[in-house]
Amino acid sequence: MAVMNFGGVQENVITRDEFTLEKAREVLKDETIAVIGYGVQGPGQSLNLRDNGFNVIVGQRAGKTFEKAVSDGWVPGQTLFSIEEACEKASIIMCLLSDAAVMSVWPKMKQYLTPGKALYFSHGFAITWNDRTGCVPPSDIDVIMVAPKGSGTSLRTMFLEGRGLNSSYAIYQDYTGKAFDRTIALGIGIGSGYLFETTFQREATSDLTGERGSLMGAIQGLLLAQYEVLRENGHTPSEAFNETVEELTQSLMPLFAAKGMDWMYANCSTTAQRGALDWMGPFHDAIKPVMQKLYNSVKCGNEAQISIDANSKPDYRVGLEAELKALRESEMWQTAVTVRQLRPENQNK
């Protein structure tokens, strides 16, 4: 385990150099790993484990997702089973179902959590708010987590490119004394770049804050606000979209992703630099109270309860599709369709 300096703060991280793939295989050589759920994280994690040489099976209910698993090479009766059968066969149960699905499947899953097994999550939601989810694990198993900092699609894509997606890891319960090695071996096995230490509670609160904040909710709100102001002041959809979204995603994000915001600023015009430096303060001051309100709502469990209540409604999927349809059909994102078609790499296709 290496101690790294992050902005002046020391943190523990684990890299693939110090905990190699060969070591991970040795740690898990006698384990049967069952990936439960083949939705968002399931395909990426299970396929990476399979390609890395681990003994992995998949548990999935019948339906379109089951058929997707078959198309990915999982063989019914050999490496693809019902959720119950996979849980029974496994020594490590990787619960990669949606938060709502975990709650519905938990009573069936729990009976297979026999002494010495490991229960793995990639999100701290079910355990952190188990007074609301009902997911209280027995005391004689390991409860562990590896949470990739991105989608399962990104995890798989980066793995195929020879790269790794950073992940956090946590140990909630160490019954066997092997929880740490099991956790890190799984983290390396699924293709993590490096792993940094957290807790279930910290992961859950930071994850929900990020999704509602800068990763999804806040970024859509910010982009839409700027787009609307430009449109309301006479700018065309193409101009408003390019100045709001296209330049951000196609030009500037790669710059600050590579070397930081200061480097991106240094590679922009002096006019852009001055304006950015002058206006970042007012934006920060306006946004931080909203972010604090969001964090408080997450930490107290309010956001978890909203999610549980919404996902429990029988018509939730219908309502969700209607909301996503409205987002998709908004002028800004319909403009995006045309702009993407006009990118050089998409022309003449």
Side-chain angles (χ1 to χ4, degrees), residues 202-228:
R202 279 167 39 204
E203 191 282 333
T205 51
S206 62
D207 189 79
L208 264 66
T209 299
E211 291 166 348
R212 286 149 180 76
S214 66
L215 301 179
M216 295 174 69
I219 193 67
Q220 166 63 16
L222 173 63
L223 296 176
L224 182 59
Q226 178 170 305
Y227 180 88
E228 288 176 342

Side-chain angles (χ1 to χ4, degrees), residues 153-193:
T153 300
S154 298
L155 182 73
R156 180 62 175 166
T157 300
M158 293 174 73
F159 174 84
L160 294 173
E161 294 173 349
R163 301 188 293 146
L165 186 65
N166 300 331
S167 301
S168 60
Y169 74 91
I171 298 168
Y172 180 79
Q173 196 166 273
D174 183 6
Y175 173 76
T176 66
K178 302 184 298 181
F180 177 82
D181 281 351
R182 278 172 147 179
T183 304
I184 304 307
L186 288 166
I188 298 300
I190 67 170
S192 299

Side-chain angles (χ1 to χ4, degrees), residues 4 46 126-127 135 157 161 188-189 235 237 243 250 261 263 268 301 307 317 322 327:
M4 302 294 291
S46 62
I127 296 296
C135 300
T157 300
E161 294 173 349
I188 298 300
H235 298 268
E243 294 293 353
Q250 301 303 300
M261 192 67 73
W263 193 76
C268 292
S307 180
R317 182 60 58 180
L327 186 62

Side-chain angles (χ1 to χ4, degrees), residues 20-208:
T20 64
L21 181 57
E22 289 72 24
K23 181 176 179 180
R25 290 185 183 128
E26 178 65 24
V27 168
L28 300 179
K29 65 180 181 179
D30 298 323
E31 305 268 20
T32 297
I33 305 163
V35 171
I36 306 302
Y38 207 73
V40 177
Q41 282 289 338
Q45 295 200 33
S46 62
L47 291 171
N48 290 0
L49 284 166
R50 186 177 72 182
D51 288 354
N52 272 332
F54 295 87
N55 180 25
V56 58
I57 60 178
V58 171
Q60 175 60 44
R61 289 175 286 201
K64 290 183 179 180
T65 307
F66 188 95
E67 297 307 316
K68 181 183 185 305
V70 172
S71 70
D72 284 343
W74 302 100
V75 181
Q78 295 181 26
T79 56
L80 178 59
F81 303 92
S82 68
I83 289 176
E84 293 84 353
E85 193 171 0
C87 287
E88 184 177 20
K89 291 177 178 295
S91 57
I92 297 176
I93 298 173
M94 296 177 66
C95 184
L96 299 181
L97 298 158
S98 68
D99 296 324
V102 173
M103 294 168 58
S104 64
V105 171
W106 180 255
K108 297 178 182 178
M109 184 182 296
K110 189 174 182 179
Q111 63 183 305
Y112 300 108
L113 298 175
T114 51
K117 286 193 176 185
L119 176 62
Y120 165 110
F121 292 93
S122 281
H123 187 18
F125 187 104
I127 296 296
T128 298
W129 293 293
N130 60 18
D131 58 328
R132 301 165 188 262
T133 65
C135 300
V136 179
S139 60
D140 53 6
I141 66 167
D142 294 343
V143 183
I144 61 180
M145 176 175 64
V146 176
K149 298 300 103 181
S151 70
T153 300
S154 298
L155 182 73
R156 180 62 175 166
T157 300
M158 293 174 73
F159 174 84
L160 294 173
E161 294 173 349
R163 301 188 293 146
L165 186 65
N166 300 331
S167 301
S168 60
Y169 74 91
I171 298 168
Y172 180 79
Q173 196 166 273
D174 183 6
Y175 173 76
T176 66
K178 302 184 298 181
F180 177 82
D181 281 351
R182 278 172 147 179
T183 304
I184 304 307
L186 288 166
I188 298 300
I190 67 170
S192 299
Y194 73 84
L195 296 115
F196 61 93
E197 191 175 15
T198 188
T199 66
F200 273 66
Q201 190 271 340
R202 279 167 39 204
E203 191 282 333
T205 51
S206 62
D207 189 79
L208 264 66

Side-chain angles (χ1 to χ4, degrees), residues 241-253:
F241 186 84
N242 272 279
E243 294 293 353
T244 300
V245 180
E246 191 73 352
E247 186 173 353
L248 171 67
T249 59
Q250 301 303 300
S251 175
L252 300 183
M253 275 187 171

